[in-house]
């Protein structure tokens, strides 16, 4: 089971993440890292008009693997989920999904599902993802460092 790769997917948005409305958020870029402790693969994509514009692939090895796996462990200390309010509570315009094999280890997606409406008002108050300024700063730092480690490999 320890040989199963860890998959990290980050999707960065220019704007609109967690903002209610009919217009989809504008995707800026994505990076997908699939690695075991011995190495793995990185796929980075840039987007234009919410469509893939360019794609780069590379291998992740050595210190970059250790960095990503350490940052995954740090992510696990943060609150996770999909805020029912649809608000980007971390304020980083980034969706994160971390899996090991097929199991989700950690996830954050403020744009999943529809929000609003009279039936959803009470539920959103009860299940609002609670984050503080320290959580926000830590999330932004982790996301930035994962991107940097992946960028170094493409």
């Amino acid at each position: 089971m320890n040989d199963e790769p860890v998959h990290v997917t980050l999707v960065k948005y220019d704007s609109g993440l967690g903002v209610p409305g009919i217009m989809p958020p504008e995707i800026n870029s994505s990076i997908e890292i699939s690695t075991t402790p011995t190495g793995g693969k990185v796929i980075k994509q840039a987007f234009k008009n919410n469509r893939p514009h360019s794609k780069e692939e590379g291998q992740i090895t050595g210190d970059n693997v250790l960095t990503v796996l350490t940052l995954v462990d740090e992510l696990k200390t943060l609150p996770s989920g999909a805020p029912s309010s649809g608000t980007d509570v971390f304020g980083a315009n980034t969706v994160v999904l971390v899996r090991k094999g097929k199991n989700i280890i950690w996830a954050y997606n403020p744009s999943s599902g529809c929000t609003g409406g009279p039936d959803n008002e009470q539920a959103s108050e009860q299940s609002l993802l609670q984050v503080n300024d320290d959580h926000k700063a830590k999330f932004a730092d982790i996301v930035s460092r994962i991107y940097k480690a992946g960028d170094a490999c493409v």
Side-chain angles (χ1 to χ4, degrees):
M1 187 85 172
N2 286 339
D3 293 307
E4 283 190 276
V6 171
H7 306 279
V8 180
T9 303
L10 304 178
V11 180
K12 280 190 166 188
Y13 291 83
D14 284 329
S15 62
L17 184 64
V19 176
I22 59 171
M23 296 301 293
E26 288 287 322
I27 301 172
N28 175 295
S29 62
S30 70
I31 196 158
E32 297 175 56
I33 301 170
S34 180
T35 189
T36 64
T38 58
K41 179 174 156 181
V42 177
I43 300 171
K44 180 182 174 189
Q45 293 188 85
F47 287 76
K48 187 174 186 176
N49 298 321
N50 279 347
R51 297 187 195 291
H53 179 64
S54 65
K55 183 177 180 178
E56 299 174 85
E57 295 185 33
Q59 298 297 312
I60 187 167
T61 58
D63 288 343
N64 288 319
V65 169
L66 297 175
T67 297
V68 169
L69 295 177
T70 299
L71 292 170
V72 165
D73 287 338
E74 287 185 37
L75 271 176
K76 292 186 224 174
T77 67
L78 294 173
S80 70
S84 59
S85 66
T87 302
D88 182 10
V89 296
F90 282 111
N93 283 327
T94 304
V95 169
V96 178
L97 176 63
V98 180
R99 295 179 297 112
K100 182 159 186 157
K102 294 181 181 182
N103 299 319
I104 295 174
I105 295 173
W106 197 89
Y108 173 69
N109 186 357
S111 64
S112 65
C114 294
T115 62
D119 295 336
N120 195 36
E121 209 168 293
Q122 184 179 9
S124 69
E125 288 177 19
Q126 293 172 348
S127 60
L128 183 62
L129 189 61
Q130 299 292 314
V131 298
N132 59 37
D133 289 340
D134 290 338
H135 293 138
K136 291 176 186 179
K138 188 172 184 178
F139 180 81
D141 179 59
I142 291 169
V143 165
S144 173
R145 290 168 56 202
I146 290 173
Y147 256 89
K148 186 177 177 181
D151 258 348
C153 302
V154 290

